[in-house]
Amino acid sequence: MKYGPRKDANHNEIIEELRKHCAVFDTSALGNGFPDGLVWVNENWHLFDIKNPKTGYGRRGLNKIQKKFISQWQGGPVYLV
């Protein structure tokens, strides 16, 4: 795997805040371009990826593997948080 699973600096803070309001699964350890989390909102599961614009890693946005996953994903939008 070219890109190992890596969390943005604000990852844990965002996951904790989301958990106060809805069901959340942290999927960041899956790698292979899979988004960082799965959240239950409006009676549906939604995929989301966390980016931190305060860091170079976060400002770069989605990497090639993440972009490929999203382009092939047919289960609805992947949200950037």
Side-chain angles (χ1 to χ4, degrees):
M1 177 168 33
K2 184 176 180 183
Y3 295 97
R6 184 170 175 188
K7 292 182 184 181
D8 284 80
N10 58 346
H11 181 96
N12 292 338
E13 179 182 353
I14 289 174
I15 293 289
E16 287 174 22
E17 189 62 33
L18 285 170
R19 284 187 172 147
K20 292 178 185 177
H21 307 282
C22 41
V24 177
F25 288 98
D26 185 343
T27 58
S28 60
L30 295 178
N32 292 317
F34 198 88
D36 292 326
L38 189 60
V39 61
W40 179 257
V41 177
N42 295 328
E43 300 186 24
N44 288 297
W45 287 106
H46 302 278
L47 289 173
F48 66 92
D49 202 82
I50 296 171
K51 295 297 175 198
N52 185 351
K54 294 180 181 178
T55 65
Y57 176 72
R59 282 191 301 272
R60 282 193 291 275
L62 299 170
N63 63 45
K64 291 181 203 177
I65 295 171
Q66 291 169 322
K67 288 177 185 176
K68 181 179 178 185
F69 176 89
I70 290 171
S71 74
Q72 295 174 345
W73 176 248
Q74 297 179 10
V78 175
Y79 298 93
L80 293 182
V81 179

